[in-house]
């Protein structure tokens, strides 16, 4: 498939949050403030991009030649976990300001299903390196985009007069549903 | 009985704690896939709680999370291999959501918050309780989505290769026209939101 097609579809029509339901925990959890949403988005993008390249190389040059593709799940989650740890250490040591603003999100990324999900999609769809990177970039930008729009919407919704039992998570889910319907028809 | 019922709806990992929503929204297009996903998570949850509790005295605080993730992903890999061999249609239907059980917050959450501190038997019981709550929740969502979206209830279709039994109930018989909206991702979000809202309302009444 064309890399631009992959980029656009993953960015809008097949958005990670809205159609693949990945990263919903952080979507519902952190999207209370605009700044948090952006911080989370940037850290996720960084981790996804690098681990996409790492897992692609590991899969192609280690797992497939040794005929051990069934180890993909274990290997990939280890790569992500280690990479997140290393990133945290490096940022902590050399970029103190960045660490202060991103620090709390980094450990959460290991268990963010978006990261693992995007990497699995790359491998399962047999993308080559360029296509994988394009899928990763599109998905992450889609993640940031939806997270950001949703934060803005949520601030407005919180102040509205809604049923008491629908406050919080339920109304957030219904909003996300309407967003998903709109995004599915955009292209 | 009342205790079980109150547990299932008052402390449900999906409806109340809002954990593990990925698979609840993604694989629930038919009733069968939903309850099978519930069963898979239940089994993995009980086994991971068992193993984590057995090794809780050996594993030190600093390396807990990586060790637990490896245990869970090993269990998930075993499940993947079994499903791939014995029930290919189900394996294909689950797609990436089967390996994604590794990062399902319910499984890792129970390992960290309960099994790492409690005795083996209690941990198994806890895993079973949380898993059952998850199974009930995902089955309800699957049942509603398939019924409203397609007018059918698939009791057994994908796994009929193992069981030799096949049953798809047609409920509405074209009297009521089902709305395909509920099979799309947007419909899944809206339905889950409404169900959680109703359960919240019931809880505050009781």
């Amino acid at each position: 498939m064309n890399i631009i097609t992959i980029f656009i579809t993953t960015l809008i029509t097949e958005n990670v949050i809205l159609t693949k339901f990945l990263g919903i925990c952080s979507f519902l959890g952190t999207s209370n403030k605009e700044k948090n949403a952006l911080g989370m988005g940037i850290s996720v993008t960084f981790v996804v991009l690098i681990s996409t390249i790492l897992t692609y190389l590991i899969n192609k040059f280690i797992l497939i030649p040794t005929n051990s593709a069934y180890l993909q799940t274990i290997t990939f989650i280890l790569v992500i976990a280690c990479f997140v740890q290393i990133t945290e250490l490096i940022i902590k040591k050399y970029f103190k300001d960045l660490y202060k603003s991103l620090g709390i999100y980094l450990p959460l990324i290991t268990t963010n299903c978006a990261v693992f999900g995007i990497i699995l999609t790359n491998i399962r769809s047999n993308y080559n390196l360029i296509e994988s990177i394009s899928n990763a970039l599109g998905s992450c930008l889609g993640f940031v985009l939806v997270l950001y729009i949703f934060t803005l919407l949520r601030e407005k919704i919180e102040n509205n007069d809604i049923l008491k039992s629908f406050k919080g998570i339920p109304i957030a889910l219904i909003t996300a549903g309407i967003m998903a319907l709109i995004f599915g028809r955009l292209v | 009985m009342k205790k079980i019922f109150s547990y299932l709806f008052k402390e449900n990992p999906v409806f109340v704690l809002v954990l593990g929503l990925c698979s609840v929204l993604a694989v629930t297009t038919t009733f069968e896939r939903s309850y099978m996903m519930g069963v898979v998570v239940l089994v993995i949850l009980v086994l991971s709680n068992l193993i984590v509790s057995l090794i809780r005295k050996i594993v030190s605080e600093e390396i807990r999370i990586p060790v637990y993730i490896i245990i869970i992903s090993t269990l998930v890999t075993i499940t993947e291999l079994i499903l791939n061999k014995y029930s290919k249609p189900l394996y294909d239907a689950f797609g990436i959501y089967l390996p994604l059980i590794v990062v399902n917050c319910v499984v890792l959450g129970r390992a960290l918050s309960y099994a790492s501190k409690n005795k083996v038997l209690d941990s198994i019981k806890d895993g079973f309780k949380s898993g059952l709550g998850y199974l009930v929740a995902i089955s309800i969502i699957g049942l509603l989505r398939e019924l409203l979206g397609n007018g059918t209830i698939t009791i057994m279709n994908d796994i009929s290769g193992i069981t030799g039994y096949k049953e798809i109930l047609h409920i509405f018989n074209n009297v009521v026209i089902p709305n395909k909206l509920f099979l799309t991702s947007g419909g899944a979000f809206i339905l889950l939101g409404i169900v959680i809202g109703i359960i919240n309302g019931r809880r505050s009444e009781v």
Side-chain angles (χ1 to χ4, degrees), chain A:
Chain A
M1 223 202 307
N2 193 326
I3 47 167
I4 298 168
T5 326
I6 295 179
F7 183 79
I8 302 287
T9 41
T10 48
L11 179 65
I12 297 169
T13 41
E14 281 177 34
N15 189 283
V16 258
I17 297 181
L18 297 176
T19 60
K20 292 185 187 152
F21 312 108
L22 301 171
I24 298 198
C25 293
S26 48
F27 177 57
L28 294 173
T30 54
S31 57
N32 283 328
K33 290 188 192 111
E34 279 169 58
K35 214 181 143 201
N36 286 2
L38 284 180
M40 186 76 190
I42 293 165
S43 3
V44 166
T45 313
F46 180 64
V47 171
V48 169
L49 262 186
I50 306 289
S51 25
T52 298
I53 297 168
L54 283 178
T55 50
Y56 178 81
L57 296 175
I58 289 174
N59 190 46
K60 183 151 189 207
F61 294 108
I62 300 174
L63 292 183
I64 290 177
T66 54
N67 216 349
S68 42
Y70 64 93
L71 286 176
Q72 278 168 350
T73 309
I74 301 180
T75 321
F76 294 169
I77 195 77
L78 274 179
V79 169
I80 298 169
C82 294
F83 184 69
V84 170
Q85 287 276 315
I86 295 169
T87 320
E88 202 184 341
L89 288 178
I90 292 174
I91 293 183
K92 202 173 181 179
K93 178 123 194 216
Y94 296 107
F95 306 97
K96 288 227 167 64
D97 289 342
L98 193 64
Y99 183 76
K100 266 182 205 154
S101 50
L102 290 187
I104 40 167
Y105 303 114
L106 285 169
L108 289 176
I109 292 175
T110 314
T111 51
N112 185 326
C113 14
V115 178
F116 195 35
I118 295 168
I119 285 162
L120 283 170
T121 318
N122 282 334
I123 301 293
R124 292 267 166 116
S125 332
N126 284 323
Y127 286 154
N128 64 31
L129 189 58
I130 307 290
E131 286 169 338
S132 300
I133 292 174
S134 144
N135 180 35
L137 257 184
S139 306
C140 291
L141 287 182
F143 182 79
V144 181
L145 179 73
V146 170
L147 207 60
Y148 190 72
I149 298 177
F150 189 67
T151 319
L152 298 178
L153 283 175
R154 214 170 164 185
E155 276 169 14
K156 288 237 158 61
I157 294 167
E158 294 293 309
N159 302 326
N160 278 350
D161 187 26
I162 38 173
L163 267 177
K164 209 178 128 211
S165 53
F166 275 80
K167 276 211 166 99
I169 302 284
I171 196 73
L173 283 169
I174 294 172
T175 319
I178 296 167
M179 268 176 84
L181 293 177
I182 298 169
F183 266 68
R185 296 282 176 280
L186 270 186
V187 173

Side-chain angles (χ1 to χ4, degrees), chain B residues 109-198:
Chain B
R110 288 333 285 176
L112 278 172
S113 66
Y114 196 90
S116 59
K117 296 175 199 124
N118 288 286
K119 289 204 186 95
V120 177
L121 258 176
D122 292 337
S123 303
I124 295 177
K125 235 194 255 168
D126 177 78
F128 189 75
K129 255 168 56 177
S130 303
L132 200 64
Y134 184 84
L135 173 62
V136 169
I138 195 172
S139 307
I140 291 176
I141 298 294
L143 187 72
L144 288 175
R145 269 185 85 186
E146 200 191 346
L147 188 64
L148 298 173
N150 208 15
T152 56
I153 297 175
T154 312
I155 308 289
M156 213 166 264
N157 182 29
D158 286 342
I159 54 165
S160 50
I162 324 171
T163 54
Y165 174 76
K166 196 168 181 166
E167 176 94 64
I168 300 177
L169 300 177
H170 291 268
I171 303 296
F172 292 150
N173 282 328
N174 298 329
V175 181
V176 183
I177 298 165
N179 190 343
K180 286 266 182 287
L181 168 80
F182 290 99
L183 293 180
T184 64
S185 55
F189 274 114
I190 295 174
L191 187 77
L192 183 65
I194 294 174
V195 170
I196 293 180
I198 292 171

Side-chain angles (χ1 to χ4, degrees), chain B residues 32-50:
Chain B
E32 183 201 24
R33 284 172 197 165
S34 320
Y35 75 73
M36 279 312 291
M37 182 51 109
V39 170
V40 168
V41 171
L42 173 70
V43 171
I44 288 175
L45 196 50
V46 170
L47 289 176
S48 82
N49 264 13
L50 166 74

